[in-house]
Amino acid sequence: MIGHSWRRGIVLALTGSLLAPAAAVAQNQPEAGLSEEAVLRSIERAQKFLIRRQGGDGSWSAGQGGYGVGVSSLALLALINSGLTANDRNVQLGLDHLRSLPPPARTYELALMIMALADAKDGTRDTARLLALAQKLEDMQIKAGANTGSWAYTASDGVGGGFGDGDRSNAQYAVLGLHAAVQAGVPVSRATWERVRHHWTTQQSTDGGWAYAGGGNTNSTGSMTVAGIATLTIVNMMLRDDADVGPDGRPDCCGEQRADPHLDKGLRWLARRFDHRSNPGTGGRWYLYYLYGLERAGRLSGRRFFGEHDWYRAAASHVVPKQSVQGYFRGVGVMENDEVVGTSLSLLFLSKGLAPVLINKLDYGDGGNWNLHPHDVRNLVEHITGLEKWPRLLTSQVVDMSRLRGEPVAEAAAVLRQSPILYISGKDAPLPLLDEPQAAAILREYINQGGFIFAVANCEESSGFHDGLQELVRRMYPGENRELAPLPPGHEVYKAEYPLVASETPLWGVDFGCRTAIIYSPADVACYWERWMAQPPPNRHPELGKAVRRAMMVGVNVAAYATGREPPTKLGAEVLIRQDGDIPRGFLEIGKVVHGGGWNTAPQALRNLLLALNRTVGLAATTEDRRVALNSPDVFRYPVLYMHGRTRFQLQPDEIEQLRKYLERGGVLFADSCCGSKHFDESFRDFVRELSPGKPLARIPDDHEIMQLEPGFDIRRVERREPAAADPGAPLDRTVRRGPPFLEGIDLGGRYAVVYSKYDISCALERQASVACAGYPHEDAVKIAINVILYAMMQNPSAAE
């Protein structure tokens, strides 16, 4: 009998170690007490509280201030940005309520109504209404006097004189409302944006921050400084011009990019004064209002850190425990001490701050070589987040390579893995990456953990960056003969979202396992991302407009290929991969079958599965590579054999005969076809016919114990993605099916000795599955594989010596 002593040990592990994973996971959280599960639970409880407080007419009310329209808009905005859509009953009730109201007279309410209607994306129902609301908000801007470019509480006579003479709290919400209108396709005049920039740059305090009103030596506060950072970031996007564009429509892609000194001063203030427990400079008031502004400042500026502080993790770990048992949050200060207002602000912070980071832009030093186009990635992600089939809100960040210096390779790579795409660019060779001994190892481990590198050469004819990137790839894979090469015209990236012609948009790449894991553009598409605008400047050269659209398509296609349009959340990317090191010995060893059909297509898949088993049931599974040939007597050492591949193969008679004995003696073979490869699937079925004549693979019933296994998972409702049948030249799309996994097997004496999936599991275990991959998403692939292994371990086969 195979693995008899091991079976006794595994029963003890399954019954006695179930509490171990929770402690292990807690130790790996970046902030004490913070986990994605805890944040998502908090978001769900806050949603339920707001839904309970919604009136039958779709409105919400606050206990003070008379801001009924504003509170209703804010609560609705929070529900929408935390995952509800216009198809949800409570959102539709809220939208119908806002549509029944006349345009509000107050700045806060008008801006929040625009934001709620725009973010709902309920078709074209609100286009005319948004146009009228945005025009009214523009008309309410103060256009002369000391507060030119600001807004008061209500409409003024054009120079102030409304309810208040203008303040930066009203002003920031007006800017947010107008920005939301632009994203919804409503034009806003450049003159309005120019006045906004004039106000925030001339009224900045001498310490670099901003106060509620006044400038000069006025003491700055955290809430107003994050408002200034977000406002200037938005305004700079709105006021980009084409001054460097030639008469032929070609921009100067190598021109000097000047930073905004006012924005830089504001960012330095926040780095110095950052506090995740209190709103700096206010005596502890308006903390939740500050958090919502902090989320905007961090997300729009593309920063994960302010100073040494990971702003989202730090603030979320502080605020989540303050939620009441009823699900509400309450702050200190006018309005936010109301439960609906406080909960809405907190929900906006938690949900929007948790937005997936689609792309990390790598700051590798070397002066400004890494950042010749400062807004390239931000603009690309802003464009993607408005596209159909993509998540509602995506973001980008800059990651500083110097922060990883001295860290263990696996931990440094795990930091990079908080985004599925790492972006590297430059004109010259990225010398710091070539000079730093650990850099190549970190980038290779990032790829091993499921990451993807997208590189772009800046400036035309950038041979320095091209050659440097090629050398970096060689150092990442020494002795493996991997190097950048032009991708074939039929590569999936050319039709991942838009149909592209390879000769017009040439891309190079490096294959790794299940997919192309590094894609490189020798053409400076980022120069045109830099010039993308939701509302282009007037009189833009038509050739430039075409070039920008084409470059955006390239960026979208690469992102779609790399992520399948489903990037992980920023707290959820490290579940499988963060580990203190391999466990050299344990109860469980699994042999990886060597064969001629791509036996190591997903080289990290088995290791990731074993790490997941360690965490799920607390057993000690060996994560070292145990490869084995089927004609070797070593097969009998392993209770489970693991097999995958992507190409055709054929086993020899002695291999089939020994495998037959192995299965009869109690062993189990677990196999899958990488990316649903038809070639591997056909070969596997041919091999099974020789292995078990007259007993072909049969579908495992949906009610079989493997589908709902303790202490495993209930996998009766998982997702399976299959590329949609379409014209070969059409963009890639896929069908999503939900239900039990499609598993087949061979029954020997009442147990399944072979368990096989013709849909991909292995590439998903590595997070290496592309948009063209037929199989299960990562989370479901982990659950399915764990159930299969646990099922195999818990059988009691009859011995056959």
Side-chain angles (χ1 to χ4, degrees):
M1 184 179 295
I2 294 172
H4 181 67
S5 61
W6 169 83
R7 290 181 188 278
R8 289 199 305 268
I10 200 61
V11 172
L12 295 175
L14 291 174
T15 57
S17 302
L18 294 180
L19 295 180
V25 171
Q27 291 172 2
N28 281 325
Q29 296 308 327
E31 294 289 337
L34 177 67
S35 68
E36 182 184 22
E37 182 183 3
V39 174
L40 292 177
R41 268 201 315 267
S42 179
I43 288 172
E44 183 180 8
R45 291 170 62 205
Q47 285 177 331
K48 290 180 178 178
F49 172 78
L50 289 180
I51 289 171
R52 289 197 304 270
R53 291 289 294 268
Q54 188 178 22
D57 63 350
S59 69
W60 283 265
S61 62
Q64 56 183 306
Y67 279 86
V69 179
V71 171
S72 292
S73 299
L74 179 66
L76 182 59
L77 184 69
L79 289 179
I80 292 169
N81 279 280
S82 61
L84 274 64
T85 72
N87 294 323
D88 290 292
R89 177 179 176 274
N90 296 95
V91 171
Q92 198 56 240
L93 275 174
L95 291 172
D96 289 343
H97 172 68
L98 295 186
R99 290 165 181 152
S100 71
L101 302 174
R106 291 172 169 176
T107 300
Y108 280 121
E109 295 190 308
L110 186 55
L112 285 165
M113 180 181 281
I114 292 172
M115 293 161 67
L117 294 174
D119 282 13
K121 298 181 180 178
D122 193 14
T124 59
R125 293 186 61 181
D126 298 306
T127 302
R129 183 176 287 103
L130 286 169
L131 184 63
L133 294 173
Q135 184 60 61
K136 180 173 182 178
L137 192 53
E138 282 196 82
D139 292 343
M140 290 170 62
Q141 187 184 39
I142 298 172
K143 300 179 178 62
N147 281 322
T148 295
S150 188
W151 275 262
Y153 277 86
T154 60
S156 69
D157 59 7
V159 295
F163 176 28
D165 292 330
D167 63 77
R168 280 179 279 283
S169 183
N170 275 289
Q172 73 154 326
Y173 273 81
V175 168
L176 294 173
L178 293 177
H179 182 230
V182 169
Q183 291 178 309
V186 174
V188 173
S189 74
R190 289 179 71 88
T192 297
W193 296 119
E194 286 165 355
R195 284 189 290 267
V196 170
R197 181 158 66 181
H198 169 81
H199 176 80
W200 288 84
T201 56
T202 60
Q203 298 297 310
Q204 190 170 21
S205 301
T206 53
D207 62 4
W210 283 269
Y212 176 75
N217 293 321
T218 310
N219 291 330
S220 302
T221 67
S223 50
M224 289 297 95
T225 299
V226 294
I229 291 169
T231 296
L232 287 184
T233 303
I234 290 171
V235 167
N236 290 342
M237 287 191 286
M238 295 297 108
L239 288 178
R240 175 78 200 224
D241 60 40
D242 291 342
D244 63 345
V245 177
D248 60 352
R250 293 174 63 88
D252 180 2
C253 290
C254 292
E256 181 182 357
Q257 299 290 330
R258 287 178 291 183
D260 182 339
H262 299 281
L263 180 57
D264 288 346
K265 286 170 63 178
L267 290 167
R268 287 196 296 271
W269 186 97
L270 189 56
R272 291 193 311 271
R273 298 288 305 277
F274 178 85
D275 191 339
H276 68 278
R277 296 159 298 187
S278 180
N279 180 5
T282 65
R285 292 172 295 171
W286 301 298
Y287 172 64
L288 303 180
Y289 173 76
Y290 160 68
L291 287 189
Y292 179 33
L294 180 64
E295 173 274 321
R296 289 193 300 278
R299 180 172 51 82
L300 293 175
S301 67
R303 282 166 168 76
R304 176 181 168 187
F305 293 90
F306 288 120
E308 297 299 317
H309 308 283
D310 187 327
W311 59 266
Y312 183 79
R313 284 166 172 75
S317 66
H318 180 72
V319 73
V320 166
K322 296 186 178 300
Q323 188 175 24
S324 73
V325 293
Q326 292 87 0
Y328 67 78
F329 293 88
R330 182 188 288 149
V332 177
V334 177
M335 291 302 297
E336 83 164 43
N337 60 3
D338 179 86
E339 294 170 359
V340 172
V341 173
T343 303
S344 299
L345 292 172
S346 302
L347 184 55
L348 283 163
F349 164 74
L350 290 172
S351 54
K352 297 188 76 172
L354 196 61
V357 181
L358 179 63
I359 304 177
N360 269 334
K361 185 173 184 178
L362 186 64
D363 174 359
Y364 54 81
D366 198 15
N369 189 45
W370 69 275
N371 200 30
L372 293 174
H373 305 311
H375 310 112
D376 49 5
V377 167
R378 185 192 67 190
N379 289 349
L380 175 62
V381 173
E382 174 121 347
H383 170 68
I384 289 175
T385 199
L387 297 177
E388 188 180 358
K389 299 179 183 178
W390 286 86
R392 179 186 300 276
L393 184 64
L394 297 167
T395 188
S396 62
Q397 289 181 162
V398 172
V399 60
D400 188 346
M401 194 72 177
S402 67
R403 287 182 178 272
L404 308 181
R405 190 171 290 119
E407 294 290 331
V409 168
E411 292 185 14
V415 172
L416 298 180
R417 265 295 293 139
Q418 290 178 353
S419 171
I421 302 174
L422 183 67
Y423 176 76
I424 305 175
S425 64
K427 175 184 177 182
D428 304 315
L431 294 178
L433 296 179
L434 297 174
D435 295 340
E436 173 62 48
Q438 269 196 316
I442 291 171
L443 295 177
R444 174 171 178 151
E445 179 62 17
Y446 168 71
I447 295 291
N448 287 346
Q449 293 181 4
F452 177 93
I453 293 176
F454 185 15
V456 174
N458 297 152
C459 305
E460 301 301 330
E461 307 299 327
S462 182
S463 60
F465 183 80
H466 178 97
D467 295 342
L469 186 65
Q470 193 74 277
E471 176 60 23
L472 181 61
V473 170
R474 295 189 191 104
R475 295 187 186 187
M476 288 171 62
Y477 300 100
E480 297 186 28
N481 296 319
R482 296 181 190 267
E483 62 178 23
L484 292 162
L487 298 179
H491 193 283
E492 289 93 343
V493 73
Y494 288 117
K495 53 182 180 177
E497 182 99 8
Y498 303 105
L500 300 176
V501 179
S503 59
E504 296 176 357
T505 55
L507 295 170
W508 294 41
V510 180
D511 288 343
F512 178 83
C514 305
R515 62 173 181 167
T516 303
I518 303 175
I519 288 184
Y520 160 63
S521 172
D524 191 1
V525 290
C527 173
Y528 295 93
W529 301 345
E530 183 78 13
R531 284 152 180 82
W532 175 86
M533 299 172 69
Q535 182 181 322
N539 304 317
R540 167 162 278 187
H541 196 292
E543 291 302 317
L544 176 60
K546 290 179 186 177
V548 168
R549 288 191 293 274
R550 186 164 54 246
M552 300 308 283
M553 289 179 182
V554 174
V556 173
N557 273 34
V558 173
Y561 175 80
T563 67
R565 305 187 192 95
E566 294 182 351
T569 59
K570 67 167 61 175
L571 297 182
E574 302 174 53
V575 173
L576 279 183
I577 56 180
R578 295 198 64 181
Q579 179 78 358
D580 293 334
D582 286 345
I583 300 171
R585 229 184 125 88
F587 289 112
L588 175 60
E589 290 182 316
I590 294 180
K592 184 189 290 187
V593 176
V594 177
H595 60 88
W599 68 272
N600 207 30
T601 294
Q604 300 296 316
L606 179 57
R607 179 178 183 272
N608 284 350
L609 169 57
L610 291 167
L611 290 175
L613 273 166
N614 289 339
R615 284 192 164 86
T616 302
V617 298
L619 62 86
T622 299
T623 52
E624 292 179 355
D625 198 348
R626 305 297 196 201
R627 57 190 68 181
V628 61
L630 287 177
N631 57 7
S632 166
D634 287 344
V635 296
F636 297 100
R637 291 177 49 197
Y638 307 109
V640 181
L641 295 178
Y642 172 79
M643 179 178 181
H644 71 236
R646 199 168 185 176
T647 58
R648 297 187 188 280
F649 69 94
Q650 185 173 6
L651 297 180
Q652 299 303 311
D654 61 333
E655 293 177 301
I656 294 174
E657 179 58 30
Q658 181 146 282
L659 179 60
R660 185 182 296 117
K661 292 179 181 178
Y662 167 85
L663 299 177
E664 290 171 350
R665 295 182 184 184
V668 175
L669 174 66
F670 173 36
D672 75 290
S673 175
C674 291
C675 279
S677 165
K678 292 182 179 179
H679 299 303
F680 181 88
D681 181 65
E682 290 170 356
S683 294
F684 190 85
R685 293 179 189 281
D686 289 343
F687 137 70
V688 166
R689 280 190 282 271
E690 294 183 61
L691 176 70
S692 180
K695 199 168 190 179
L697 288 167
R699 176 85 184 264
I700 297 177
D702 292 348
D703 59 355
H704 188 270
E705 63 177 304
I706 204 171
M707 304 295 176
Q708 192 179 12
L709 196 63
E710 292 292 341
F713 298 94
D714 185 341
I715 57 173
R716 292 174 296 176
R717 189 164 177 77
V718 296
E719 287 189 2
R720 187 174 77 245
R721 288 83 178 272
E722 302 173 32
D727 184 336
L732 290 178
D733 206 348
R734 56 190 180 184
T735 300
V736 177
R737 306 184 191 280
R738 293 175 176 83
F742 190 97
L743 298 175
E744 298 173 277
I746 296 178
D747 188 315
L748 292 183
R751 70 180 183 94
Y752 283 104
V754 175
V755 178
Y756 172 65
S757 172
K758 70 176 184 178
Y759 296 105
D760 175 78
I761 292 175
S762 295
C763 295
L765 287 172
E766 285 196 330
R767 297 186 187 271
Q768 294 281 0
S770 75
V771 69
C773 196
Y776 301 93
H778 172 75
E779 292 77 9
D780 287 342
V782 171
K783 294 175 182 178
I784 295 167
I786 285 176
N787 273 29
V788 171
I789 298 300
L790 292 180
Y791 169 79
M793 295 188 301
M794 297 169 70
Q795 301 310 298
N796 293 302
S798 58
E801 295 299 337

